Amino acid sequence: MGTTVTSKGQVTIPKAVRDFLGIGPGSKVEFQRVKDGSVIVVPLGEGQPESRFARLRGHAGAGMTTDEIMALTRGDD
């Protein structure tokens, strides 16, 4: 898999690699040089941040209307 380096030195990590490493927006990675001279990408921490839906799972509670639950899952204030 190839990618292009921008004028700012940035690259896009291919989706297949992001999926394999479990990284997403906000994830931190580290670049490590290996003895043979190659460089590897290592995810730091927990990997992909928890989605807003995962944080809401199991928190609807009793007595909420469908509209209230939908507003909660959409992030409406």
Side-chain angles (χ1 to χ4, degrees):
M1 285 176 251
T3 189
T4 303
V5 179
T6 69
S7 61
K8 292 183 177 183
Q10 300 170 333
V11 296
T12 299
I13 301 171
K15 183 174 181 347
V17 175
R18 294 191 314 264
D19 291 346
F20 178 77
L21 295 175
I23 59 177
S27 295
K28 296 198 181 293
V29 297
E30 180 177 86
F31 297 91
Q32 296 177 354
R33 190 167 64 180
V34 185
K35 288 182 182 182
D36 68 2
S38 61
V39 176
I40 59 171
V41 179
V42 179
L44 299 176
E46 295 283 323
Q48 190 167 1
E50 183 179 51
S51 75
R52 66 181 175 157
F53 299 109
R55 289 192 307 269
L56 296 172
R57 187 172 290 126
H59 292 277
M64 295 182 78
T65 67
T66 301
D67 289 335
E68 290 170 330
I69 293 170
M70 294 305 292
L72 181 67
T73 58
R74 289 185 183 132
D76 299 342
D77 293 33

